[in-house]
């Protein structure tokens, strides 16, 4: 039996799940929930083959003369067998009470002897068309294209269906990322492998869309496939955007909106896909696949970790250099215009504040942020005016209890580097008495 899976690809909120259930009503097609593990398996199979053919003098796969292609196809056959053997258990699980809310009279989730094909509606499969075809050479892909503004609006209100809302830029970039991957697959493999359908056609003429899709995958039309269309196509409840036209959005001030609508316009202007793919796109698809495989290999993980370590080290170096320049700039700019008292008497209060503490005031220029002030190495409570023109520091009596000259230093807060320095004179109290 040939393995002929069907993959529905496109952006989230483009009816990919709905079309999975639609085709899954066919007597020969079994619908899968979004899988995510299959596309990962398609990449990992390559790494497994590499592991099984290198390192040892007589490794198993090399000795058995099993090529990478054969190994990946075997992995696809095993994956297919596992799915087909699990159909009954999947259906029985769906009947459990906790899944009752998902049931519908319009959707038949059952196992029949003829359901020997399956459909997977995981949108992320768009990035893995090359590797999925390596594992399933007879696979078919259906790309659903929906207006990017409608998709973004739906993603930004995703909480209406129990998910997390997207930020606007992330919503548009998600559409561009997934639809861009679908476009590359269309160019690389042609219309014999990837078929494009349009969300608007699903709304206006669902029967024609279903007939096209079933003809594409080689199955006869069955009216039961229209059942899921009785459900609401877009289940998120939110106010729809007003202007979804290309003309009204392609010159938007936001680059992520412009990029999405430029891609959307390009796809709508090129509806007639070539039967066969072009070599340039195929090579690009192959390179992206190789990059994905490398990123998941141990060598790739080691490289990424090493690269991350190098980037962290470089970032630390740049931060240190930036801080050094900041300190030098502060030191050059900070000027003390006046300050006082510049001399105090040992053990005596001075410039008394409302809270009874003694204080020094420093009038400065060139200060653009808060600084720490220390007297003889002791950090003082410091208050900087809103316009950074005056610094007031509180001084405890214990710091000026004996006659001496004490350094008064200004330090950059983050590094503790000295950016300015004065000297406070503490005079003997007896001298004070003589002057009085």
């Amino acid at each position: 039996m040939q393995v002929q899976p069907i993959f529905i690809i496109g952006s989230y909120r483009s009816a990919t799940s709905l079309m999975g259930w639609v085709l899954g009503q066919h007597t020969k097609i079994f619908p899968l929930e979004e899988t995510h593990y299959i596309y990962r398996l398609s990449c990992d199979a390559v790494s497994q083959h590499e592991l099984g053919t290198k390192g040892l003098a007589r490794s198993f796969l090399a000795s058995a003369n099993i090529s990478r292609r054969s190994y990946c196809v075997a992995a696809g056959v095993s994956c297919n067998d596992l799915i087909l053997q699990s159909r009954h258990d999947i259906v029985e699980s769906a009947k459990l009470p906790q899944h009752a809310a998902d049931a519908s009279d319009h959707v038949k989730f059952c196992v029949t002897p003829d359901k020997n094909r399956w459909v997977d509606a995981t949108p992320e499969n768009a990035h893995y068309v090359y590797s999925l075809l390596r594992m399933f050479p007879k696979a078919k892909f259906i790309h659903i294209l929906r207006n990017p503004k409608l998709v973004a609006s739906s993603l930004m209100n995703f909480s209406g269906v129990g998910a997390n809302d997207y930020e606007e830029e992330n919503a548009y970039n998600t559409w561009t990322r997934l639809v861009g991957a679908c476009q590359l697959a269309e160019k690389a493999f042609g219309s014999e492998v990837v078929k494009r359908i349009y969300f608007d056609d699903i709304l206006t003429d669902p029967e024609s869309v279903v007939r096209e899709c079933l003809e594409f995958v080689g199955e006869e039309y069955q009216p039961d496939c229209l059942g899921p269309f009785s459900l609401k196509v877009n289940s998120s409840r939110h106010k729809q955007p007003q202007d979804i036209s290309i003309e009204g959005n392609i010159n938007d001030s936001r680059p992520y909106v412009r990029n999405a609508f430029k891609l959307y316009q390009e796809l709508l202007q090129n509806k007639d896909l070539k039967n066969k793919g072009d070599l340039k796109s195929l090579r690009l698809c192959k390179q992206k696949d190789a990059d994905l495989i490398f990123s998941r290999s141990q060598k790739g993980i080691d490289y990424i970790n090493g690269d991350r370590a190098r980037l962290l080290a470089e970032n630390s170096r740049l931060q240190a250099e930036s801080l050094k320049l900041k300190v030098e700039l502060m030191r050059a700019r900070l000027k003390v215009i006046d300050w006082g008292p510049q001399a105090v008497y040992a053990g005596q209060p001075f410039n008394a504040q409302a809270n009874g503490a003694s204080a020094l005031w420093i009038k400065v220029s060139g200060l653009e942020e808060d600084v720490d002030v220390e007297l003889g190495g002791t950090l003082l409570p410091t208050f900087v005016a809103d316009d950074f023109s005056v610094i007031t520091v509180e001084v405890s009596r214990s710091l000026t209890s004996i006659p001496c000259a004490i350094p008064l230093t200004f330090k950059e807060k983050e590094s503790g580097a000295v950016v300015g320095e004065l000297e406070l004179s503490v005079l003997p109290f007896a001298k004070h008495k003589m002057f009085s």
Side-chain angles (χ1 to χ4, degrees):
M1 181 185 68
Q2 283 191 328
V3 179
Q4 296 177 301
I6 304 161
F7 294 97
I8 312 295
I9 57 177
S11 174
Y12 306 121
R13 313 308 296 157
S14 297
T16 52
S17 296
L18 173 66
M19 282 303 298
W21 285 110
V22 165
L23 297 186
Q25 302 312 293
H26 197 280
T27 55
K28 293 185 178 181
I29 302 172
F30 185 77
L32 296 182
E33 303 285 351
E34 293 185 9
T35 58
H36 294 284
Y37 84 92
I38 295 179
Y39 66 72
R40 291 178 181 270
L41 176 61
S42 69
C43 285
D44 290 342
V46 175
S47 300
Q48 292 165 8
H49 182 267
E50 182 178 348
L51 184 64
T53 54
K54 293 182 179 180
L56 300 175
R58 288 186 56 79
S59 59
F60 167 70
L61 294 178
S63 298
N65 198 27
I66 297 175
S67 68
R68 186 173 79 168
R69 178 180 177 82
S70 296
Y71 182 81
C72 291
V73 170
V77 171
S78 296
C79 179
N80 182 73
D81 289 347
L82 181 65
I83 291 171
L84 296 183
Q85 292 167 12
S86 304
R87 288 170 298 174
H88 177 76
D89 292 337
I90 293 172
V91 172
E92 290 302 309
S93 175
K95 294 178 182 178
L96 296 175
Q98 60 264 39
H99 303 307
D102 299 328
S104 169
D105 293 336
H106 303 291
V107 178
K108 298 175 183 178
F109 195 30
C110 61
V111 175
T112 61
D114 291 332
K115 278 187 177 284
N116 289 319
R117 298 182 72 178
W118 45 271
V119 56
D120 180 353
T122 306
E124 290 292 339
N125 283 332
H127 293 295
Y128 299 87
V129 174
Y130 189 95
S131 56
L132 287 168
L133 282 169
R134 185 169 49 233
M135 198 161 73
F136 306 108
K138 299 294 184 180
K140 296 286 187 178
F141 295 82
I142 298 173
H143 169 207
I144 305 178
L145 179 63
R146 188 185 185 191
N147 184 291
K149 194 164 192 174
L150 290 174
V151 169
S153 178
S154 183
L155 288 173
M156 290 159 62
N157 293 274
F158 221 173
S159 56
V161 291
N164 295 322
D165 291 338
Y166 280 54
E167 295 292 335
E168 182 182 72
E169 183 173 359
N170 187 27
Y172 276 98
N173 287 341
T174 296
W175 182 94
T176 302
R177 175 175 60 85
L178 287 165
V179 174
C182 293
Q183 181 193 41
L184 179 61
E186 290 175 353
K187 291 180 177 180
F189 301 104
S191 61
E192 293 182 0
V193 175
V194 185
K195 179 176 183 59
R196 188 195 305 164
I197 61 174
Y198 301 89
F199 183 88
D200 292 346
D201 293 341
I202 294 175
L203 295 178
T204 58
D205 192 1
E207 181 178 335
S208 293
V209 172
V210 173
R211 286 182 180 276
E212 284 183 37
C213 290
L214 288 173
E215 181 181 359
F216 172 66
V217 301
E219 302 292 353
E220 293 182 357
Y221 171 74
Q222 293 179 355
D224 282 350
C225 291
L226 297 178
F229 288 121
S230 300
L231 307 175
K232 187 174 177 62
V233 172
N234 183 11
S235 59
S236 59
R237 301 175 180 86
H238 66 277
K239 187 177 180 180
Q240 296 293 314
Q242 303 252 334
D243 185 4
I244 62 171
S245 68
I246 293 175
E247 296 77 12
N249 292 276
I250 200 166
N251 294 314
D252 193 277
S253 60
R254 294 159 293 181
Y256 49 86
V257 176
R258 291 199 306 271
N259 292 338
F261 272 90
K262 284 178 181 177
L263 175 57
Y264 187 53
Q265 182 184 56
E266 182 181 344
L267 288 166
L268 292 182
Q269 290 176 344
N270 296 279
K271 288 189 174 183
D272 296 328
L273 305 182
K274 296 180 180 179
N275 290 340
K276 302 293 183 180
D278 67 77
L279 188 57
K280 181 180 178 181
S281 298
L282 183 60
R283 285 172 175 166
L284 180 55
C285 220
K286 182 178 181 180
Q287 183 57 53
K288 287 181 177 293
D289 175 70
D291 292 342
L292 284 168
I293 293 170
F294 180 74
S295 69
R296 294 179 60 78
S297 68
Q298 188 58 52
K299 185 184 293 185
I301 292 170
D302 291 343
Y303 177 83
I304 291 170
N305 289 337
D307 200 40
R308 184 182 293 115
R310 289 191 295 274
L311 288 173
L312 288 173
E314 178 64 9
N315 184 57
S316 297
R317 185 189 68 78
L318 290 173
Q319 286 183 337
E321 186 174 313
S322 175
L323 186 56
K324 181 181 177 182
L325 291 172
K326 176 184 176 183
V327 168
E328 291 176 354
L329 186 60
M330 286 183 68
R331 188 179 292 123
R333 286 180 174 176
L334 181 60
K335 304 295 182 185
V336 176
I337 300 171
D338 194 9
W339 67 290
Q342 298 181 21
V344 300
Y345 292 97
Q348 300 303 302
F350 55 90
N351 194 19
Q353 303 297 297
N355 62 1
S358 296
L360 297 171
W361 57 269
I362 306 107
K363 187 176 181 181
V364 298
S365 66
L367 186 66
E368 296 182 353
E369 59 182 86
D370 289 349
V371 292
D372 287 331
V373 180
E374 293 182 359
L375 182 62
T378 299
L379 183 65
L380 304 179
T382 303
F383 307 92
V384 181
D386 291 341
D387 62 358
F388 298 103
S389 64
V390 178
I391 303 171
T392 305
V393 292
E394 292 186 356
V395 182
S396 66
R397 187 175 299 184
S398 62
L399 294 175
T400 58
S401 60
I402 59 174
C404 61
I406 311 176
L408 182 70
T409 55
F410 307 93
K411 293 187 174 183
E412 195 275 330
K413 279 183 170 292
E414 183 179 356
S415 64
V418 175
V419 294
E421 191 167 13
L422 300 171
E423 187 175 83
L424 176 66
S425 296
V426 182
L427 305 176
F429 182 57
K431 191 172 183 180
H432 169 63
K433 291 174 70 175
M434 188 172 67
F435 279 114
S436 64

